[in-house]
Amino acid sequence: ERSPEAPATTRRVGPSLLAKIVVDKCANAMPLHRQRQELARLGLEITDKTFDSYWAYTLDTLEPIAIATQAEAFARPIVGADDTHLKTLDRAAKSGVTRGRLWCFVGTEGGVDSDEIVAYGYARNWSATEIREWFSNIDGMVQCDAYAGYATEIEDPDGGEPFVAVPDERRLGCSIHVRSKFHAVLLAKDKRAAVPMKHFADLYAIEAECKERRLSAEERGDVRRARSMPILDEFDRWVDTVHPRLLPKSPLRVATEYATNQRVFLRRCFEDGRFEIDNGRTERAIRPFAVGRRNFLFTGSVRGGERLAIAY
């Protein structure tokens, strides 16, 4: 029994618990309420409001580091970009939920085994205006998918020139996305897609060989020009031959049209050994969130989405 003279104690948490909250949320995809329940079973009772304040305090403290990381990623000569949805509670919305986006950026110098700077950001929706601030700070090449917002002209609120997030001359395509369209056709039992699938298999075999031999960016570029470009030429000829014969809404027509629209950007990937032929590094970086969100389904607010991006 505590003596009357003993001062009252105030329970405080240290950095180890705050770090655990962030790691469990991002690496283990544990919602905050499940973490609180786990700690309660261990004897540490924390109210919902207090636990939420721990999360908010931690991410607000880390925000300057996240901003600096994002700036360093954007400063790299090659930046991969990708996004995925994140439902956000919004009382103003008719359904009470809006479809926010979690964005991932991977900056690199290019070449085999070059280091990567990974950053994240939250956008309230999928409109091009939401990404203006980020992409206006990227001067290098951008590797991305076919999201229309990249090429949409955005009006300058200050009356300046319209802004395009990813100008055509700085855009790199992605073999994964082009290949996936033909893979879906093959799964639908259309054997014609076996032809482009073989082309992509050959292209990726060459890439694997380059990495196994640990070729420099210059050497990899030479190999691509000598061996990969002829395969890509053959693929393009096949697409141009087949495309006009297809029904407008057939799955194969969708695949060939996508390949045609992405042709310039995809071929550019093979012209320089610094570039990867797909945006796989960004896909891999955003995958932990895309898998983990099944456990928490939504974020409670726009600021909650921003804090989640900071945490990742």
Side-chain angles (χ1 to χ4, degrees):
E1 184 175 346
R2 181 171 61 88
S3 65
E5 294 78 18
T9 59
T10 301
R11 175 179 290 168
R12 295 180 179 178
V13 295
S16 61
L17 179 58
L18 300 182
K20 173 180 168 55
I21 294 172
V22 176
V23 171
D24 279 350
K25 174 73 169 179
C26 297
N28 300 326
M30 286 183 64
L32 297 186
H33 74 276
R34 290 188 190 173
Q35 294 190 48
R36 188 177 64 81
Q37 290 168 354
E38 177 192 47
L39 292 174
R41 289 193 295 270
L42 296 173
L44 179 59
E45 295 281 354
I46 305 174
T47 65
D48 282 335
K49 185 175 181 180
T50 299
F51 203 81
D52 289 346
S53 73
Y54 291 165
W55 168 260
Y57 168 81
T58 304
L59 277 308
D60 291 347
T61 302
L62 292 175
E63 186 169 21
I65 298 173
I67 293 173
T69 303
Q70 195 178 81
E72 185 164 350
F74 291 165
R76 295 297 177 96
I78 305 167
V79 180
D82 197 12
D83 73 296
T84 188
H85 70 269
L86 171 59
K87 291 181 180 179
T88 305
L89 297 186
D90 183 358
R91 293 180 180 177
K94 186 176 181 180
S95 64
V97 178
T98 57
R99 197 174 176 87
R101 315 296 299 187
L102 188 84
W103 282 80
C104 179
F105 304 95
V106 180
T108 178
E109 298 288 340
V112 180
D113 294 334
S114 61
D115 67 316
E116 301 173 354
I117 302 294
V118 183
Y120 299 85
Y122 172 82
R124 291 172 295 180
N125 53 55
W126 213 16
S127 69
T129 54
E130 284 289 308
I131 63 175
R132 176 190 174 98
E133 183 176 352
W134 294 327
F135 284 87
S136 64
N137 289 301
I138 300 175
D139 295 324
M141 305 297 291
V142 179
Q143 192 155 32
C144 54
D145 57 22
Y147 164 51
Y150 294 131
T152 301
E153 281 197 352
I154 307 170
E155 295 296 327
D156 186 347
D158 298 324
E161 291 292 322
F163 171 79
V164 176
V166 186
D168 285 354
E169 64 273 13
R170 292 198 290 108
R171 185 166 176 169
L172 297 172
C174 175
S175 294
I176 289 176
H177 284 84
V178 178
R179 178 189 177 278
S180 67
K181 301 294 186 293
F182 292 103
H183 184 249
V185 175
L186 193 61
L187 290 178
K189 308 301 182 183
D190 189 337
K191 295 182 179 180
R192 291 174 293 181
V195 175
M197 290 297 291
K198 178 62 167 61
H199 289 146
F200 281 105
D202 292 341
L203 290 170
Y204 273 100
I206 294 171
E207 292 299 307
E209 180 185 328
C210 289
K211 290 182 179 180
E212 185 178 350
R213 294 168 57 189
R214 303 189 66 79
L215 299 184
S216 66
E218 184 176 352
E219 291 169 333
R220 184 163 70 167
D222 291 339
V223 171
R224 285 176 176 172
R225 284 183 285 273
R227 296 171 55 190
S228 299
M229 290 304 286
I231 298 173
L232 204 56
D233 291 340
E234 190 175 343
F235 166 72
D236 289 341
R237 283 193 295 269
W238 182 87
V239 169
D240 291 340
T241 301
V242 172
H243 184 74
R245 307 172 185 172
L246 302 171
L247 294 175
K249 295 184 179 181
S250 68
L252 187 55
R253 172 81 180 218
V254 172
T256 55
E257 185 169 6
Y258 186 92
T260 301
N261 293 339
Q262 292 294 304
R263 179 173 296 174
V264 173
F265 311 132
L266 181 61
R267 291 182 69 89
R268 187 175 289 150
C269 299
F270 291 86
E271 295 170 358
D272 192 320
R274 295 176 304 153
F275 305 149
E276 296 298 324
I277 67 170
D278 59 44
N279 199 23
R281 59 173 53 135
T282 315
E283 300 264 355
R284 290 188 292 273
I286 205 171
R287 181 174 174 77
F289 166 77
V291 173
R293 70 177 167 210
R294 299 172 186 174
N295 283 353
F296 48 84
L297 301 180
F298 58 82
T299 186
S301 65
V302 169
R303 183 55 185 163
E306 293 170 346
R307 285 179 175 136
L308 192 60
I310 293 167
Y312 274 96

PDB file of all heavy atoms in Angstrom, residues 29-60:
ATOM      1  N   ALA A  29       0.146  -4.935 -40.341  1.00  0.00           N
ATOM      2  CA  ALA A  29      -1.221  -4.575 -40.732  1.00  0.00           C
ATOM      3  C   ALA A  29      -2.214  -4.740 -39.588  1.00  0.00           C
ATOM      4  O   ALA A  29      -3.344  -5.181 -39.785  1.00  0.00           O
ATOM      5  CB  ALA A  29      -1.659  -5.399 -41.938  1.00  0.00           C
ATOM      6  N   MET A  30      -1.816  -4.370 -38.380  1.00  0.00           N
ATOM      7  CA  MET A  30      -2.707  -4.480 -37.217  1.00  0.00           C
ATOM      8  C   MET A  30      -3.400  -3.148 -36.967  1.00  0.00           C
ATOM      9  O   MET A  30      -2.736  -2.144 -36.695  1.00  0.00           O
ATOM     10  CB  MET A  30      -1.920  -4.878 -35.968  1.00  0.00           C
ATOM     11  CG  MET A  30      -1.478  -6.331 -35.949  1.00  0.00           C
ATOM     12  SD  MET A  30      -0.638  -6.741 -34.392  1.00  0.00           S
ATOM     13  CE  MET A  30      -1.976  -6.513 -33.198  1.00  0.00           C
ATOM     14  N   PRO A  31      -4.723  -3.091 -37.067  1.00  0.00           N
ATOM     15  CA  PRO A  31      -5.442  -1.858 -36.742  1.00  0.00           C
ATOM     16  C   PRO A  31      -5.154  -1.434 -35.307  1.00  0.00           C
ATOM     17  O   PRO A  31      -4.815  -2.261 -34.456  1.00  0.00           O
ATOM     18  CB  PRO A  31      -6.915  -2.255 -36.908  1.00  0.00           C
ATOM     19  CG  PRO A  31      -6.900  -3.460 -37.792  1.00  0.00           C
ATOM     20  CD  PRO A  31      -5.625  -4.181 -37.467  1.00  0.00           C
ATOM     21  N   LEU A  32      -5.313  -0.157 -35.043  1.00  0.00           N
ATOM     22  CA  LEU A  32      -4.976   0.361 -33.718  1.00  0.00           C
ATOM     23  C   LEU A  32      -5.806  -0.299 -32.623  1.00  0.00           C
ATOM     24  O   LEU A  32      -5.300  -0.578 -31.535  1.00  0.00           O
ATOM     25  CB  LEU A  32      -5.168   1.882 -33.685  1.00  0.00           C
ATOM     26  CG  LEU A  32      -4.269   2.698 -34.628  1.00  0.00           C
ATOM     27  CD1 LEU A  32      -4.473   4.191 -34.380  1.00  0.00           C
ATOM     28  CD2 LEU A  32      -2.790   2.337 -34.445  1.00  0.00           C
ATOM     29  N   HIS A  33      -7.082  -0.584 -32.888  1.00  0.00           N
ATOM     30  CA  HIS A  33      -7.898  -1.161 -31.814  1.00  0.00           C
ATOM     31  C   HIS A  33      -7.443  -2.580 -31.475  1.00  0.00           C
ATOM     32  O   HIS A  33      -7.532  -3.007 -30.323  1.00  0.00           O
ATOM     33  CB  HIS A  33      -9.391  -1.144 -32.204  1.00  0.00           C
ATOM     34  CG  HIS A  33      -9.796  -2.160 -33.221  1.00  0.00           C
ATOM     35  ND1 HIS A  33      -9.648  -1.957 -34.580  1.00  0.00           N
ATOM     36  CD2 HIS A  33     -10.331  -3.411 -33.079  1.00  0.00           C
ATOM     37  CE1 HIS A  33     -10.091  -3.016 -35.232  1.00  0.00           C
ATOM     38  NE2 HIS A  33     -10.502  -3.913 -34.359  1.00  0.00           N
ATOM     39  N   ARG A  34      -6.917  -3.315 -32.464  1.00  0.00           N
ATOM     40  CA  ARG A  34      -6.399  -4.658 -32.162  1.00  0.00           C
ATOM     41  C   ARG A  34      -5.102  -4.563 -31.357  1.00  0.00           C
ATOM     42  O   ARG A  34      -4.850  -5.387 -30.472  1.00  0.00           O
ATOM     43  CB  ARG A  34      -6.160  -5.423 -33.456  1.00  0.00           C
ATOM     44  CG  ARG A  34      -7.429  -5.813 -34.186  1.00  0.00           C
ATOM     45  CD  ARG A  34      -7.134  -6.731 -35.341  1.00  0.00           C
ATOM     46  NE  ARG A  34      -8.300  -6.938 -36.187  1.00  0.00           N
ATOM     47  CZ  ARG A  34      -8.284  -7.594 -37.340  1.00  0.00           C
ATOM     48  NH1 ARG A  34      -7.152  -8.115 -37.779  1.00  0.00           N
ATOM     49  NH2 ARG A  34      -9.382  -7.727 -38.052  1.00  0.00           N
ATOM     50  N   GLN A  35      -4.304  -3.562 -31.671  1.00  0.00           N
ATOM     51  CA  GLN A  35      -3.079  -3.370 -30.887  1.00  0.00           C
ATOM     52  C   GLN A  35      -3.426  -3.037 -29.438  1.00  0.00           C
ATOM     53  O   GLN A  35      -2.785  -3.539 -28.507  1.00  0.00           O
ATOM     54  CB  GLN A  35      -2.246  -2.235 -31.501  1.00  0.00           C
ATOM     55  CG  GLN A  35      -1.688  -2.533 -32.885  1.00  0.00           C
ATOM     56  CD  GLN A  35      -0.696  -1.468 -33.309  1.00  0.00           C
ATOM     57  OE1 GLN A  35       0.196  -1.094 -32.554  1.00  0.00           O
ATOM     58  NE2 GLN A  35      -0.846  -0.967 -34.532  1.00  0.00           N
ATOM     59  N   ARG A  36      -4.424  -2.191 -29.269  1.00  0.00           N
ATOM     60  CA  ARG A  36      -4.831  -1.821 -27.900  1.00  0.00           C
ATOM     61  C   ARG A  36      -5.328  -3.047 -27.143  1.00  0.00           C
ATOM     62  O   ARG A  36      -5.022  -3.228 -25.958  1.00  0.00           O
ATOM     63  CB  ARG A  36      -5.936  -0.749 -27.973  1.00  0.00           C
ATOM     64  CG  ARG A  36      -6.290  -0.150 -26.626  1.00  0.00           C
ATOM     65  CD  ARG A  36      -7.333   0.937 -26.773  1.00  0.00           C
ATOM     66  NE  ARG A  36      -8.594   0.385 -27.273  1.00  0.00           N
ATOM     67  CZ  ARG A  36      -9.488  -0.225 -26.504  1.00  0.00           C
ATOM     68  NH1 ARG A  36      -9.269  -0.377 -25.203  1.00  0.00           N
ATOM     69  NH2 ARG A  36     -10.616  -0.684 -27.022  1.00  0.00           N
ATOM     70  N   GLN A  37      -6.063  -3.925 -27.832  1.00  0.00           N
ATOM     71  CA  GLN A  37      -6.556  -5.148 -27.193  1.00  0.00           C
ATOM     72  C   GLN A  37      -5.394  -6.069 -26.812  1.00  0.00           C
ATOM     73  O   GLN A  37      -5.404  -6.703 -25.755  1.00  0.00           O
ATOM     74  CB  GLN A  37      -7.516  -5.864 -28.135  1.00  0.00           C
ATOM     75  CG  GLN A  37      -8.841  -5.135 -28.338  1.00  0.00           C
ATOM     76  CD  GLN A  37      -9.662  -5.698 -29.475  1.00  0.00           C
ATOM     77  OE1 GLN A  37      -9.205  -6.578 -30.203  1.00  0.00           O
ATOM     78  NE2 GLN A  37     -10.877  -5.191 -29.647  1.00  0.00           N
ATOM     79  N   GLU A  38      -4.389  -6.126 -27.673  1.00  0.00           N
ATOM     80  CA  GLU A  38      -3.230  -6.968 -27.388  1.00  0.00           C
ATOM     81  C   GLU A  38      -2.505  -6.461 -26.140  1.00  0.00           C
ATOM     82  O   GLU A  38      -2.127  -7.255 -25.251  1.00  0.00           O
ATOM     83  CB  GLU A  38      -2.269  -6.971 -28.579  1.00  0.00           C
ATOM     84  CG  GLU A  38      -0.998  -7.774 -28.331  1.00  0.00           C
ATOM     85  CD  GLU A  38       0.057  -7.533 -29.400  1.00  0.00           C
ATOM     86  OE1 GLU A  38       0.308  -6.357 -29.736  1.00  0.00           O
ATOM     87  OE2 GLU A  38       0.645  -8.514 -29.878  1.00  0.00           O
ATOM     88  N   LEU A  39      -2.314  -5.149 -26.042  1.00  0.00           N
ATOM     89  CA  LEU A  39      -1.640  -4.582 -24.875  1.00  0.00           C
ATOM     90  C   LEU A  39      -2.467  -4.787 -23.609  1.00  0.00           C
ATOM     91  O   LEU A  39      -1.920  -5.013 -22.530  1.00  0.00           O
ATOM     92  CB  LEU A  39      -1.366  -3.093 -25.108  1.00  0.00           C
ATOM     93  CG  LEU A  39      -0.323  -2.771 -26.195  1.00  0.00           C
ATOM     94  CD1 LEU A  39      -0.253  -1.270 -26.434  1.00  0.00           C
ATOM     95  CD2 LEU A  39       1.055  -3.299 -25.791  1.00  0.00           C
ATOM     96  N   ALA A  40      -3.801  -4.730 -23.741  1.00  0.00           N
ATOM     97  CA  ALA A  40      -4.662  -4.951 -22.572  1.00  0.00           C
ATOM     98  C   ALA A  40      -4.500  -6.368 -22.045  1.00  0.00           C
ATOM     99  O   ALA A  40      -4.492  -6.604 -20.822  1.00  0.00           O
ATOM    100  CB  ALA A  40      -6.126  -4.681 -22.950  1.00  0.00           C
ATOM    101  N   ARG A  41      -4.339  -7.329 -22.957  1.00  0.00           N
ATOM    102  CA  ARG A  41      -4.131  -8.715 -22.514  1.00  0.00           C
ATOM    103  C   ARG A  41      -2.796  -8.878 -21.797  1.00  0.00           C
ATOM    104  O   ARG A  41      -2.633  -9.766 -20.963  1.00  0.00           O
ATOM    105  CB  ARG A  41      -4.182  -9.658 -23.724  1.00  0.00           C
ATOM    106  CG  ARG A  41      -5.577  -9.827 -24.303  1.00  0.00           C
ATOM    107  CD  ARG A  41      -5.644 -10.997 -25.274  1.00  0.00           C
ATOM    108  NE  ARG A  41      -4.810 -10.777 -26.456  1.00  0.00           N
ATOM    109  CZ  ARG A  41      -5.247 -10.195 -27.572  1.00  0.00           C
ATOM    110  NH1 ARG A  41      -6.510  -9.765 -27.655  1.00  0.00           N
ATOM    111  NH2 ARG A  41      -4.449 -10.055 -28.608  1.00  0.00           N
ATOM    112  N   LEU A  42      -1.851  -7.979 -22.098  1.00  0.00           N
ATOM    113  CA  LEU A  42      -0.553  -8.008 -21.432  1.00  0.00           C
ATOM    114  C   LEU A  42      -0.545  -7.177 -20.152  1.00  0.00           C
ATOM    115  O   LEU A  42       0.479  -7.082 -19.475  1.00  0.00           O
ATOM    116  CB  LEU A  42       0.539  -7.501 -22.389  1.00  0.00           C
ATOM    117  CG  LEU A  42       0.770  -8.350 -23.641  1.00  0.00           C
ATOM    118  CD1 LEU A  42       1.749  -7.643 -24.585  1.00  0.00           C
ATOM    119  CD2 LEU A  42       1.315  -9.728 -23.266  1.00  0.00           C
ATOM    120  N   GLY A  43      -1.689  -6.539 -19.862  1.00  0.00           N
ATOM    121  CA  GLY A  43      -1.791  -5.797 -18.602  1.00  0.00           C
ATOM    122  C   GLY A  43      -1.695  -4.299 -18.724  1.00  0.00           C
ATOM    123  O   GLY A  43      -1.733  -3.586 -17.724  1.00  0.00           O
ATOM    124  N   LEU A  44      -1.580  -3.786 -19.958  1.00  0.00           N
ATOM    125  CA  LEU A  44      -1.485  -2.339 -20.146  1.00  0.00           C
ATOM    126  C   LEU A  44      -2.796  -1.832 -20.732  1.00  0.00           C
ATOM    127  O   LEU A  44      -3.066  -1.990 -21.922  1.00  0.00           O
ATOM    128  CB  LEU A  44      -0.319  -1.991 -21.075  1.00  0.00           C
ATOM    129  CG  LEU A  44      -0.115  -0.502 -21.390  1.00  0.00           C
ATOM    130  CD1 LEU A  44       0.114   0.301 -20.110  1.00  0.00           C
ATOM    131  CD2 LEU A  44       1.052  -0.307 -22.360  1.00  0.00           C
ATOM    132  N   GLU A  45      -3.627  -1.242 -19.898  1.00  0.00           N
ATOM    133  CA  GLU A  45      -4.926  -0.731 -20.332  1.00  0.00           C
ATOM    134  C   GLU A  45      -4.772   0.710 -20.823  1.00  0.00           C
ATOM    135  O   GLU A  45      -4.315   1.591 -20.083  1.00  0.00           O
ATOM    136  CB  GLU A  45      -5.921  -0.778 -19.166  1.00  0.00           C
ATOM    137  CG  GLU A  45      -6.259  -2.174 -18.691  1.00  0.00           C
ATOM    138  CD  GLU A  45      -7.276  -2.861 -19.603  1.00  0.00           C
ATOM    139  OE1 GLU A  45      -7.786  -2.195 -20.537  1.00  0.00           O
ATOM    140  OE2 GLU A  45      -7.549  -4.064 -19.372  1.00  0.00           O
ATOM    141  N   ILE A  46      -5.166   0.954 -22.064  1.00  0.00           N
ATOM    142  CA  ILE A  46      -5.092   2.297 -22.653  1.00  0.00           C
ATOM    143  C   ILE A  46      -6.421   2.571 -23.337  1.00  0.00           C
ATOM    144  O   ILE A  46      -6.925   1.739 -24.092  1.00  0.00           O
ATOM    145  CB  ILE A  46      -3.944   2.404 -23.685  1.00  0.00           C
ATOM    146  CG1 ILE A  46      -2.614   1.991 -23.049  1.00  0.00           C
ATOM    147  CG2 ILE A  46      -3.849   3.823 -24.225  1.00  0.00           C
ATOM    148  CD1 ILE A  46      -1.464   1.938 -24.044  1.00  0.00           C
ATOM    149  N   THR A  47      -6.998   3.734 -23.084  1.00  0.00           N
ATOM    150  CA  THR A  47      -8.271   4.062 -23.714  1.00  0.00           C
ATOM    151  C   THR A  47      -8.070   4.304 -25.212  1.00  0.00           C
ATOM    152  O   THR A  47      -6.963   4.599 -25.673  1.00  0.00           O
ATOM    153  CB  THR A  47      -8.880   5.326 -23.089  1.00  0.00           C
ATOM    154  OG1 THR A  47      -8.028   6.440 -23.375  1.00  0.00           O
ATOM    155  CG2 THR A  47      -9.043   5.164 -21.582  1.00  0.00           C
ATOM    156  N   ASP A  48      -9.165   4.184 -25.962  1.00  0.00           N
ATOM    157  CA  ASP A  48      -9.105   4.417 -27.406  1.00  0.00           C
ATOM    158  C   ASP A  48      -8.546   5.803 -27.716  1.00  0.00           C
ATOM    159  O   ASP A  48      -7.681   5.961 -28.583  1.00  0.00           O
ATOM    160  CB  ASP A  48     -10.506   4.296 -28.031  1.00  0.00           C
ATOM    161  CG  ASP A  48     -10.924   2.844 -28.201  1.00  0.00           C
ATOM    162  OD1 ASP A  48     -10.041   1.986 -28.294  1.00  0.00           O
ATOM    163  OD2 ASP A  48     -12.138   2.583 -28.247  1.00  0.00           O
ATOM    164  N   LYS A  49      -9.072   6.810 -27.055  1.00  0.00           N
ATOM    165  CA  LYS A  49      -8.664   8.184 -27.325  1.00  0.00           C
ATOM    166  C   LYS A  49      -7.181   8.388 -27.055  1.00  0.00           C
ATOM    167  O   LYS A  49      -6.470   9.026 -27.838  1.00  0.00           O
ATOM    168  CB  LYS A  49      -9.499   9.141 -26.467  1.00  0.00           C
ATOM    169  CG  LYS A  49      -9.239  10.608 -26.769  1.00  0.00           C
ATOM    170  CD  LYS A  49     -10.185  11.502 -25.971  1.00  0.00           C
ATOM    171  CE  LYS A  49      -9.928  12.976 -26.310  1.00  0.00           C
ATOM    172  NZ  LYS A  49     -10.844  13.868 -25.530  1.00  0.00           N
ATOM    173  N   THR A  50      -6.690   7.826 -25.945  1.00  0.00           N
ATOM    174  CA  THR A  50      -5.273   7.974 -25.610  1.00  0.00           C
ATOM    175  C   THR A  50      -4.401   7.242 -26.622  1.00  0.00           C
ATOM    176  O   THR A  50      -3.375   7.763 -27.076  1.00  0.00           O
ATOM    177  CB  THR A  50      -4.998   7.430 -24.198  1.00  0.00           C
ATOM    178  OG1 THR A  50      -5.771   8.168 -23.256  1.00  0.00           O
ATOM    179  CG2 THR A  50      -3.521   7.562 -23.848  1.00  0.00           C
ATOM    180  N   PHE A  51      -4.818   6.049 -27.007  1.00  0.00           N
ATOM    181  CA  PHE A  51      -4.033   5.267 -27.965  1.00  0.00           C
ATOM    182  C   PHE A  51      -3.977   5.983 -29.313  1.00  0.00           C
ATOM    183  O   PHE A  51      -2.916   6.051 -29.960  1.00  0.00           O
ATOM    184  CB  PHE A  51      -4.646   3.872 -28.127  1.00  0.00           C
ATOM    185  CG  PHE A  51      -3.670   2.844 -28.629  1.00  0.00           C
ATOM    186  CD1 PHE A  51      -2.779   2.230 -27.765  1.00  0.00           C
ATOM    187  CD2 PHE A  51      -3.626   2.508 -29.969  1.00  0.00           C
ATOM    188  CE1 PHE A  51      -1.868   1.288 -28.226  1.00  0.00           C
ATOM    189  CE2 PHE A  51      -2.725   1.564 -30.440  1.00  0.00           C
ATOM    190  CZ  PHE A  51      -1.838   0.951 -29.569  1.00  0.00           C
ATOM    191  N   ASP A  52      -5.108   6.549 -29.738  1.00  0.00           N
ATOM    192  CA  ASP A  52      -5.120   7.312 -30.988  1.00  0.00           C
ATOM    193  C   ASP A  52      -4.195   8.519 -30.904  1.00  0.00           C
ATOM    194  O   ASP A  52      -3.550   8.892 -31.892  1.00  0.00           O
ATOM    195  CB  ASP A  52      -6.546   7.780 -31.305  1.00  0.00           C
ATOM    196  CG  ASP A  52      -7.457   6.632 -31.718  1.00  0.00           C
ATOM    197  OD1 ASP A  52      -6.930   5.535 -32.013  1.00  0.00           O
ATOM    198  OD2 ASP A  52      -8.680   6.824 -31.729  1.00  0.00           O
ATOM    199  N   SER A  53      -4.118   9.128 -29.723  1.00  0.00           N
ATOM    200  CA  SER A  53      -3.242  10.293 -29.559  1.00  0.00           C
ATOM    201  C   SER A  53      -1.770   9.892 -29.660  1.00  0.00           C
ATOM    202  O   SER A  53      -0.949  10.672 -30.152  1.00  0.00           O
ATOM    203  CB  SER A  53      -3.507  10.981 -28.214  1.00  0.00           C
ATOM    204  OG  SER A  53      -3.005  10.222 -27.126  1.00  0.00           O
ATOM    205  N   TYR A  54      -1.440   8.673 -29.203  1.00  0.00           N
ATOM    206  CA  TYR A  54      -0.070   8.181 -29.359  1.00  0.00           C
ATOM    207  C   TYR A  54       0.287   8.084 -30.847  1.00  0.00           C
ATOM    208  O   TYR A  54       1.369   8.474 -31.273  1.00  0.00           O
ATOM    209  CB  TYR A  54       0.088   6.798 -28.718  1.00  0.00           C
ATOM    210  CG  TYR A  54       0.003   6.757 -27.212  1.00  0.00           C
ATOM    211  CD1 TYR A  54      -0.178   5.550 -26.544  1.00  0.00           C
ATOM    212  CD2 TYR A  54       0.102   7.918 -26.454  1.00  0.00           C
ATOM    213  CE1 TYR A  54      -0.262   5.491 -25.154  1.00  0.00           C
ATOM    214  CE2 TYR A  54       0.020   7.868 -25.074  1.00  0.00           C
ATOM    215  CZ  TYR A  54      -0.160   6.654 -24.431  1.00  0.00           C
ATOM    216  OH  TYR A  54      -0.243   6.591 -23.074  1.00  0.00           O
ATOM    217  N   TRP A  55      -0.638   7.508 -31.622  1.00  0.00           N
ATOM    218  CA  TRP A  55      -0.424   7.356 -33.062  1.00  0.00           C
ATOM    219  C   TRP A  55      -0.261   8.719 -33.734  1.00  0.00           C
ATOM    220  O   TRP A  55       0.687   8.948 -34.499  1.00  0.00           O
ATOM    221  CB  TRP A  55      -1.605   6.598 -33.670  1.00  0.00           C
ATOM    222  CG  TRP A  55      -1.695   6.604 -35.164  1.00  0.00           C
ATOM    223  CD1 TRP A  55      -2.487   7.395 -35.938  1.00  0.00           C
ATOM    224  CD2 TRP A  55      -0.975   5.766 -36.074  1.00  0.00           C
ATOM    225  NE1 TRP A  55      -2.310   7.113 -37.263  1.00  0.00           N
ATOM    226  CE2 TRP A  55      -1.387   6.114 -37.384  1.00  0.00           C
ATOM    227  CE3 TRP A  55      -0.034   4.760 -35.923  1.00  0.00           C
ATOM    228  CZ2 TRP A  55      -0.897   5.496 -38.525  1.00  0.00           C
ATOM    229  CZ3 TRP A  55       0.462   4.124 -37.062  1.00  0.00           C
ATOM    230  CH2 TRP A  55       0.050   4.500 -38.342  1.00  0.00           C
ATOM    231  N   ALA A  56      -1.171   9.641 -33.415  1.00  0.00           N
ATOM    232  CA  ALA A  56      -1.134  10.961 -34.037  1.00  0.00           C
ATOM    233  C   ALA A  56       0.152  11.705 -33.664  1.00  0.00           C
ATOM    234  O   ALA A  56       0.802  12.315 -34.532  1.00  0.00           O
ATOM    235  CB  ALA A  56      -2.361  11.768 -33.622  1.00  0.00           C
ATOM    236  N   TYR A  57       0.513  11.659 -32.386  1.00  0.00           N
ATOM    237  CA  TYR A  57       1.730  12.351 -31.934  1.00  0.00           C
ATOM    238  C   TYR A  57       2.964  11.804 -32.647  1.00  0.00           C
ATOM    239  O   TYR A  57       3.816  12.563 -33.112  1.00  0.00           O
ATOM    240  CB  TYR A  57       1.894  12.185 -30.422  1.00  0.00           C
ATOM    241  CG  TYR A  57       3.249  12.599 -29.922  1.00  0.00           C
ATOM    242  CD1 TYR A  57       3.552  13.947 -29.695  1.00  0.00           C
ATOM    243  CD2 TYR A  57       4.254  11.646 -29.699  1.00  0.00           C
ATOM    244  CE1 TYR A  57       4.811  14.331 -29.258  1.00  0.00           C
ATOM    245  CE2 TYR A  57       5.511  12.024 -29.251  1.00  0.00           C
ATOM    246  CZ  TYR A  57       5.795  13.365 -29.031  1.00  0.00           C
ATOM    247  OH  TYR A  57       7.040  13.743 -28.612  1.00  0.00           O
ATOM    248  N   THR A  58       3.049  10.488 -32.744  1.00  0.00           N
ATOM    249  CA  THR A  58       4.217   9.858 -33.357  1.00  0.00           C
ATOM    250  C   THR A  58       4.362  10.271 -34.815  1.00  0.00           C
ATOM    251  O   THR A  58       5.449  10.662 -35.273  1.00  0.00           O
ATOM    252  CB  THR A  58       4.115   8.324 -33.271  1.00  0.00           C
ATOM    253  OG1 THR A  58       3.954   7.946 -31.908  1.00  0.00           O
ATOM    254  CG2 THR A  58       5.364   7.668 -33.833  1.00  0.00           C
ATOM    255  N   LEU A  59       3.271  10.214 -35.572  1.00  0.00           N
ATOM    256  CA  LEU A  59       3.353  10.530 -36.999  1.00  0.00           C
ATOM    257  C   LEU A  59       3.522  12.016 -37.248  1.00  0.00           C
ATOM    258  O   LEU A  59       4.201  12.408 -38.209  1.00  0.00           O
ATOM    259  CB  LEU A  59       2.120   9.989 -37.721  1.00  0.00           C
ATOM    260  CG  LEU A  59       2.203   8.507 -38.107  1.00  0.00           C
ATOM    261  CD1 LEU A  59       3.486   8.201 -38.873  1.00  0.00           C
ATOM    262  CD2 LEU A  59       2.111   7.571 -36.937  1.00  0.00           C
ATOM    263  N   ASP A  60       2.950  12.856 -36.405  1.00  0.00           N
ATOM    264  CA  ASP A  60       3.174  14.292 -36.541  1.00  0.00           C
ATOM    265  C   ASP A  60       4.636  14.627 -36.268  1.00  0.00           C
ATOM    266  O   ASP A  60       5.210  15.533 -36.880  1.00  0.00           O
ATOM    267  CB  ASP A  60       2.265  15.068 -35.595  1.00  0.00           C
ATOM    268  CG  ASP A  60       0.795  14.980 -35.994  1.00  0.00           C
ATOM    269  OD1 ASP A  60       0.520  14.523 -37.131  1.00  0.00           O
ATOM    270  OD2 ASP A  60      -0.065  15.354 -35.181  1.00  0.00           O
TER     271      ASP A  60
END
